[in-house]
Amino acid sequence: MSIIKNASLKPYNTFGIEAKAQSYCDVTSIKTLKSVLKDYHQKPLFVLSGGSNMLLTKDIEALVLHINLKGIEVVSETENTVIVKAMAGENWHNFVLWCLERNYGGIENLSLIPGNIGTAPIQNIGAYGVELKDIFVSCEAINIANQSLKPFSKSDCNFGYRESVFKQNLKGQYIITSVNLELTKVNHQLHTDYGVIKNELESNGVENPTIQDISNAVIAIRQSKLPDPKEIGNSGSFFKNPIISAEEFQELEGNFPDVPSYKISEAAVKIPAGWLIEKAGFKGKRFKDYGVHNKQALVLVNYGNANGKEIFELAQLIQNTVKRLFNINIETEVNII
Ligand code: EPU
């Protein structure tokens, strides 16, 4: 196990922000993870995975553990379904491609989401009508304090919209080491009801889509709206879509009849934060080396050498403006460090 002092974290966060780790350890085995936690669990620790959902606003005065555990295997299968175990450090999209190559279905709508397997359960990643919880069976996580491995069932994880127990009650207590997902081998349940997916399939002349067709459509849609972190630093959606009450929605719609919305229940409505931010005039706005993406206002971007504080201040300005104009609070989806 090698520990590097004063390491740059720029290569390890998709925003491409320069920040230093007091010390850094690349963790490639459970054995290393256990031994490093045994030595350091009472000292400040910071767990880093794909670095795709965080904004670094300062140096990290802690030992940064980069979870780089690799491996994908089939753990059991029936005639119709398969359970696949993937280690936390596997890249999410590479895993999706691995499944598509074997014609394992259920995960195709989640193509091209940045990040690693290990962080997928933490915020219950989702896109185009599918969330991780729909295919999730269980995960294994190591208890930081006593280094024991513990299985978590789906109900243990308490999944919600971009939420789980790992962001709530158990925050900072466990490190996810692997995830088990159940996928279909035949009779795939396709999710094509999202308008943009329907349109993309139609324009490709696809009538009876395969899971590969859906993945291709999702990839095309994401590439057309979301910046590639390898080219422009970003963390995907910076904010969550706010959920407001039916009464609040009535008032909002009265003032802004064109507001898009998704009904969640009789009492609650979800509003696309991207629309609120665009309406507030921020879409495509650039300040120095950072700004709001011109094709999706929910995404904040680093054009090169922005620092995390500048982006955080922009996020606060957006939140305050949206609050003033619409009386709606938008929460960050990205973890602010
Ligand atoms: N919209 C605008 N202007 C914008 C962006 C969006 O008016 O600049 C409005 C449009 O009316 C559009 C609606 O918002 O129809 C929804 O936009 P989109 O389909 O792009 O989805 P979203 O709600 O903005 C969510 C997820 C994305 C996910 C997409 C597709 C959250 C916080 N974000 O975005 O997830 O890819 O749906 O399912 O729930 C991520 O979490 O990093 C992420 C990219």
Side-chain angles (χ1 to χ4, degrees), residues 71-258:
I72 303 175
E73 59 174 330
V74 169
V75 287
S76 66
E77 58 189 310
T78 65
E79 220 172 292
N80 300 327
T81 61
V82 58
I83 294 184
V84 182
K85 173 178 177 177
M87 299 303 289
E90 288 288 342
N91 172 272
W92 176 265
H93 183 60
N94 286 344
F95 175 68
V96 173
L97 296 178
W98 186 95
C99 294
L100 286 167
E101 269 168 34
R102 289 157 181 80
N103 194 35
Y104 297 160
I107 204 169
E108 54 283 353
N109 293 48
L110 304 179
S111 296
L112 214 62
I113 295 187
N116 288 354
I117 292 283
T119 36
I122 295 179
Q123 56 152 345
N124 181 26
I125 58 170
Y128 305 107
V130 175
E131 286 184 327
L132 180 82
K133 71 171 172 47
D134 303 330
I135 47 170
F136 183 92
V137 177
S138 62
C139 66
E140 201 164 52
I142 191 163
N143 182 321
I144 292 176
N146 66 18
Q147 300 91 53
S148 64
L149 279 169
K150 176 175 155 62
F152 286 82
S153 68
K154 186 167 16 188
S155 64
D156 292 338
C157 293
N158 210 1
F159 289 125
Y161 167 56
R162 297 294 191 274
E163 281 298 345
S164 76
V165 72
F166 302 107
K167 274 176 95 171
Q168 302 289 344
N169 298 359
L170 298 183
K171 191 170 178 179
Q173 294 181 37
Y174 283 88
I175 299 173
I176 294 173
T177 52
S178 68
V179 176
N180 283 7
L181 301 176
E182 184 172 37
L183 302 160
T184 47
K185 288 162 60 177
V186 288
N187 300 329
H188 303 307
Q189 306 276 309
L190 305 182
H191 298 271
T192 53
D193 18 313
Y194 245 70
V196 278
I197 295 199
K198 261 192 206 141
N199 298 345
E200 182 67 28
L201 291 170
E202 251 170 51
S203 68
N204 295 342
V206 179
E207 275 174 20
N208 295 309
T210 61
I211 54 174
Q212 185 65 58
D213 293 325
I214 294 178
S215 171
N216 293 345
V218 168
I219 289 173
I221 298 163
R222 290 188 76 97
Q223 284 177 338
S224 72
K225 281 204 207 171
L226 300 169
D228 179 351
K230 289 194 196 97
E231 286 158 22
I232 302 176
N234 75 90
S235 268
S237 300
F238 197 92
F239 301 99
K240 291 198 230 181
N241 288 330
I243 296 169
I244 60 175
S245 71
E247 293 79 54
E248 286 164 333
F249 177 65
Q250 228 180 2
E251 198 183 325
L252 182 69
E253 205 181 23
N255 295 331
F256 303 94
D258 58 332

